[in-house]
Amino acid sequence: MKKYFKKGLRIVLWIMLSLIGLVLLTVIALQIPAVQNFAKDKAVTYLEGKLKTKVVINKIKIAFPKDVTLEGVYFEDQKRIPF
């Protein structure tokens, strides 16, 4: 019985440490400008698909825990009415 408890505890600890490591790796990776550009491109693609209009985001800056800055954001009018 003690053998199974120790083995189960090791498995639970391994899973918890893996999840914590994955979160930390994600936070660190989002500080890299290339990863931020990748996230920006994915966001633009998603928004263009959902809104069915042109979307431009020049730059995204992600700083944890609470700061996301978007620069040069443009959403085209869905009716595309010229000025």
Side-chain angles (χ1 to χ4, degrees):
M1 184 71 166
K2 209 174 196 183
K3 178 181 172 182
Y4 294 116
F5 178 73
K6 283 185 179 181
K7 191 172 186 173
L9 185 61
R10 281 186 187 166
I11 291 171
V12 169
L13 286 174
W14 187 83
I15 291 171
M16 288 175 57
L17 288 174
S18 296
L19 290 173
I20 291 169
L22 185 62
V23 169
L24 287 175
L25 184 64
T26 303
V27 168
I28 291 168
L30 282 173
Q31 302 304 311
I32 300 169
V35 176
Q36 292 179 358
N37 284 332
F38 176 78
K40 172 194 66 136
D41 293 340
K42 289 295 182 180
V44 167
T45 302
Y46 174 77
L47 288 171
E48 285 180 341
K50 280 291 190 183
L51 300 174
K52 306 287 190 242
T53 187
K54 183 178 179 176
V55 176
V56 175
I57 301 174
N58 289 337
K59 186 176 180 182
I60 186 169
K61 182 178 177 186
I62 303 169
F64 281 98
K66 296 182 181 179
D67 190 26
V68 176
T69 305
L70 300 173
E71 294 179 7
V73 179
Y74 171 75
F75 293 94
E76 188 172 82
D77 185 11
Q78 289 182 329
K79 296 178 183 177
R80 294 176 180 84
I81 298 173
F83 292 107

